[in-house]
Amino acid sequence: MLKSHSSNRNLLVLHATVMIWGFTGILGNLISISATHLVWYRVLIAFITLLIYFKATKTPFTVTKNAFFKLIFTGAIVGAHWIFFFQSIKSSNVSVALVCLSSVTLFTAILEPIFSKKKISKLEIFTGLMIITGITLIFKFETRYAVGISFGLLCAFCASLFSIINSKQVQNRPAPVISFYEMAGAWVWISLYLALTGGFNSSMKLPVSDIIYLLILGTICTSLAYVAGVSVMKELSAFRVALITNLEPVYGIILAFIFFGKREHMTAGFYAGSLIILSSIFLYPYIRTKIEKRRMSKQMLLG
């Protein structure tokens, strides 16, 4: 009974976390500064918040010199991912950016076998082809958002890349520690870019509304949501976590309609393409689990 209650609580926490992640797109649209400046402030607030969390909970967060440099360099990819994501929103809208972000499954299906030197599964090839079909359909009917779609796909590519890297890192150290150093790394690399391009200028000045939105984005939508998302993984299966995480674009698009109304209305082609992409993403873990169960049953019979 207690285990069931705990599981239900973790499910609610995970749904709330995914909804918060979906809300980042809303904040990205509301914040008036450029995507690069936005992410510079976001990662600064996020890693300071995590530092306060580590100090308050007396959680050790030191890493080896080798791990430190790996995480700092991975931070460059994390920073690029967020810049591309918010630039996609500013070049199109929240719905386009979130649907394009869903193509991370496609890039992971291509990149992970390269990194791990394993065969690409037939299921991953099929899922990838379905996602390509959906993206092609969106491009065809939403040519006015071609730039936003391109940034969205670059965002998904970066997300896939650092997710694969982090899947190896998380075997050796806690996820919040990884997040802390990567966000610090993202801040360092973006600061370097801004210094070289003259980006530290008057355009970084924040109106009161942007300060409030950035504090929400950096604390609740980044640090708090990340810690909450990791904590539920102790009791929920990876399959269930992956399935619910796939709801991020769904929650985000619904929230975008609530906040922005007509600005988020798209063509029928966009919704058809989105349906193909999201259906592929939802079906992928379900079919994969079925295939693995069938394979295990065969092995047991043969054994």
Side-chain angles (χ1 to χ4, degrees):
M1 188 73 177
L2 286 171
K3 190 175 181 180
S4 175
H5 177 73
S6 177
S7 179
N8 289 335
R9 184 181 63 79
N10 281 316
L11 276 172
L12 285 172
V13 169
L14 183 57
H15 274 285
T17 302
V18 174
M19 190 175 287
I20 289 168
W21 287 337
F23 191 68
T24 60
I26 308 301
L27 292 170
N29 208 348
L30 291 170
I31 295 168
S32 62
I33 55 174
S34 72
T36 306
H37 289 146
L38 188 163
V39 177
W40 185 85
Y41 280 114
R42 177 186 187 174
V43 293
L44 174 63
I45 294 166
F47 85 74
I48 289 173
T49 305
L50 278 171
L51 181 61
I52 293 167
Y53 164 77
F54 290 140
K55 293 290 185 182
T57 57
K58 296 180 180 178
T59 304
F61 59 95
T62 54
V63 294
T64 63
K65 187 178 178 181
N66 185 42
F68 173 80
F69 284 109
K70 279 182 181 178
L71 293 170
I72 292 295
F73 278 104
T74 305
I77 304 170
V78 176
H81 155 72
W82 277 337
I83 290 170
F84 290 142
F85 175 68
F86 289 116
Q87 190 56 56
S88 176
I89 291 171
K90 292 179 184 293
S91 301
S92 52
N93 61 27
V94 178
S95 299
V96 168
L98 286 169
V99 169
C100 289
L101 180 58
S102 301
S103 65
V104 69
T105 305
L106 166 64
F107 291 113
T108 304
I110 297 166
L111 294 172
E112 193 169 27
I114 296 170
F115 277 84
S116 58
K117 295 178 182 178
K118 68 174 185 179
K119 288 183 179 179
I120 299 176
S121 72
K122 290 177 182 178
L123 176 61
E124 287 174 349
I125 292 170
F126 175 75
T127 304
L129 289 172
M130 291 298 289
I131 291 170
I132 289 169
T133 303
I135 292 168
T136 304
L137 200 58
I138 291 171
F139 255 116
K140 185 178 178 181
F141 285 91
E142 298 293 346
T143 51
R144 60 191 168 135
Y145 292 141
V147 174
I149 293 168
S150 299
F151 277 119
L153 294 175
L154 282 170
C155 159
F157 174 80
C158 289
S160 173
L161 200 56
F162 75 71
S163 294
I164 293 167
I165 294 168
N166 283 348
S167 67
K168 298 183 187 301
Q169 289 290 335
V170 81
Q171 304 300 320
N172 304 313
R173 54 195 56 87
V177 173
I178 293 169
S179 180
F180 170 75
Y181 284 103
E182 288 182 351
M183 287 178 198
W187 183 80
V188 168
W189 289 110
I190 296 169
S191 295
L192 183 62
Y193 169 77
L194 291 173
L196 292 172
T197 58
F200 288 112
N201 50 44
S202 58
S203 63
M204 290 189 76
K205 289 181 180 178
L206 301 170
V208 176
S209 59
D210 277 6
I211 293 171
I212 295 167
Y213 295 145
L214 280 164
L215 284 171
I216 295 169
L217 181 64
T219 55
I220 297 171
C221 297
T222 308
S223 301
L224 182 64
Y226 199 92
V227 172
V230 171
S231 67
V232 300
M233 291 178 187
K234 292 177 182 177
E235 291 192 32
L236 299 178
S237 68
F239 170 76
R240 184 169 277 189
V241 171
L243 199 62
I244 294 169
T245 302
N246 287 335
L247 285 168
E248 181 184 346
V250 179
Y251 284 144
I253 290 168
I254 292 168
L255 288 167
F257 273 114
I258 293 168
F259 278 85
F260 305 121
K262 289 182 179 179
R263 284 164 57 186
E264 292 293 322
H265 284 297
M266 311 292 284
T267 62
F270 170 83
Y271 293 114
S274 300
L275 184 63
I276 292 169
I277 293 169
L278 294 173
S279 297
S280 303
I281 292 166
F282 276 106
L283 286 170
Y284 171 74
Y286 174 77
I287 296 170
R288 187 181 65 180
T289 303
K290 288 285 185 184
I291 291 170
E292 285 175 358
K293 282 183 178 178
R294 190 177 296 174
R295 189 181 293 127
M296 286 177 67
S297 296
K298 282 184 178 178
Q299 287 176 349
M300 287 176 71
L301 286 169
L302 289 169

